[in-house]
Amino acid sequence: MNSHICDRNSSSNIDWNPLLNRIQWVEGKSVPTYPGDLKTALLNHVGLINHPKGNEAYQLACEIARLTTYCDPEIIYWFSRIIKMMDY
């Protein structure tokens, strides 16, 4: 079982640094990016890869981030905030 699986009691203890440390500046882009599939990485990181609320949380994080920079670090930030409030 994934050691990062979140629940109401442990979601605030998820270490987001493994994802944030992979963020890179790519030549020609104005914002830093995650190398690979950010959605899959986030859902795997918290153990929600096959959970419908995981996809909803990711989509909501993207919609919120779209209001400002819409960069991968911001999506990670909003995703982390959203799953703290989830009851699943």
Side-chain angles (χ1 to χ4, degrees):
M1 182 174 271
N2 189 335
S3 64
H4 297 290
I5 292 177
C6 64
D7 60 31
R8 285 175 266 163
N9 299 319
S10 68
S11 64
S12 61
N13 297 325
I14 295 172
D15 181 10
W16 297 101
N17 285 318
L19 295 170
L20 293 170
N21 289 337
R22 294 200 58 207
I23 298 292
Q24 302 172 353
W25 284 97
V26 176
E27 188 173 335
K29 293 199 175 205
S30 61
V31 294
T33 60
Y34 182 85
D37 184 348
L38 179 59
K39 177 182 176 181
T40 300
L42 285 169
L43 296 178
N44 274 328
H45 191 69
V46 297
L48 294 175
I49 192 68
N50 294 316
H51 197 289
K53 287 190 177 184
N55 187 55
E56 290 176 32
Y58 179 79
Q59 293 304 321
L60 183 56
C62 289
E63 289 175 27
I64 295 169
R66 194 172 289 125
L67 298 172
T68 56
T69 64
Y70 194 48
C71 67
D72 290 348
E74 187 177 6
I75 293 170
I76 294 171
Y77 170 77
W78 286 114
F79 183 81
S80 72
R81 300 293 305 264
I82 292 164
I83 65 159
K84 277 185 180 181
M85 298 183 304
M86 287 177 55
D87 182 24
Y88 55 95

